[in-house]
Amino acid sequence: MSEAAPAEPRLSATILLLRDAAPKPEVLMVKRHYEIDFAAGALVFPGGKAAAADASADWDDWTDGDFGPVQQDARIAAIREAYEESGLLIARRRAVRGPGAPLVGADIAELLSPHRGAVDRGEMSFLGLMKEHDLVLALDSLVHFGHWITPVMMPKRFDTHFYLAPAPLWQIAAHDGRETTDAVWLSADEALAQELDGKATIIFPTRMNLKKLMRATSVQQAVSMFGSEPVVSVLPKTGKSPDGEPCLYIPEEAGYGQTMELLSRVNV
């Protein structure tokens, strides 16, 4: 009897929104609702599956940056998910669009906040909302940070692009109450310490990207450093540890500082 073919991974995106703090920058993390079917109760970065509308050609005139089909779709998904789950909007006024132009402030974010649920449920077009308020998504402000593909033996698989970006100044993050039950700013060190102390659940890809983020000492340094480093795709492969325990292996060249994780610690 032949084995079933692996499930096709779905394009998804997640975003590490950073703000400066002492002694290390903080990243926005949201707590997944306990009734969600993936990573229930875990601390994650805002993100989720790309929607069909994220790939619309109509976005070309309402985005800054030229990234090609997959990267543009994933970046749009990352910004949309961040808006839905945290209320933070990485966008510019169309009248001042262009690389380096300022992002919208708290006034626009608060004005659009009541529509988060409708966009999330598919009752309102995110593109239509941007057009209505004459805004463009600042895709160019996102730095490609990681690329993880769910192992082939998993029934649900995701092809996930991780991005980091400076959090929009003056905007206030707030969880959505549906997919997420909390929104917190933590340094990578603090988040990992919470997991070690049993105060938080963090899934394997999130944990690895937090460990990678620990190298940054400021938002600007993170943008500069990670923006100049290549992103190596990670498709964890099953194997055995030197002690014979089931584990996952990831490529050393991905730059996460480790290549093996025991399956007992994967939390998926």
Side-chain angles (χ1 to χ4, degrees), residues 39 66 75 106 126 171 195 197 239 249 253:
D66 183 10
R75 287 167 186 256
F126 189 42
Q171 293 188 33
E195 185 197 29
D197 292 342
Y249 282 98
E253 57 269 25

Side-chain angles (χ1 to χ4, degrees), residues 70-203:
V70 173
Q71 276 296 307
Q72 174 160 309
D73 301 354
R75 287 167 186 256
I76 291 170
I79 292 177
R80 175 182 53 75
E81 288 284 342
Y83 162 71
E84 292 172 3
E85 294 187 0
S86 74
L88 299 185
L89 181 62
I90 305 175
R92 302 183 174 109
R93 296 180 187 273
R94 200 159 187 249
V96 295
R97 68 183 301 176
L103 302 181
V104 296
D107 55 340
I108 297 296
E110 290 172 8
L111 179 66
L112 271 58
S113 183
H115 303 300
R116 291 165 57 188
V119 171
D120 180 27
R121 293 188 297 270
E123 299 167 358
M124 177 180 285
S125 160
F126 189 42
L127 174 58
L129 190 63
M130 296 302 102
K131 289 181 176 180
E132 179 184 349
H133 294 275
D134 209 30
L135 303 174
V136 295
L137 300 188
L139 304 188
D140 58 303
S141 68
L142 274 58
V143 170
H144 199 200
F145 184 72
H147 179 213
W148 284 65
I149 304 169
T150 309
V152 295
M153 78 284 194
M154 300 298 291
K156 287 188 177 182
R157 302 184 64 218
F158 302 96
D159 181 347
T160 305
H161 291 272
F162 288 77
Y163 301 95
L164 63 78
L169 293 175
W170 315 121
Q171 293 188 33
I172 298 174
H175 65 276
D176 64 4
R178 190 182 79 84
E179 288 191 68
T180 61
T181 59
D182 201 4
V184 293
W185 292 95
L186 297 166
S187 70
D189 306 66
E190 289 171 332
L192 293 169
Q194 285 194 15
E195 185 197 29
L196 192 61
D197 292 342
K199 298 177 181 177
T201 298
I202 297 177
I203 62 176

Side-chain angles (χ1 to χ4, degrees), residues 224-247:
S224 175
M225 175 172 60
F226 295 119
S228 65
E229 294 183 356
V231 170
V232 174
S233 297
V234 175
L235 173 58
K237 298 185 183 300
T238 55
K240 295 281 185 153
S241 74
D243 295 329
E245 295 187 64
C247 66

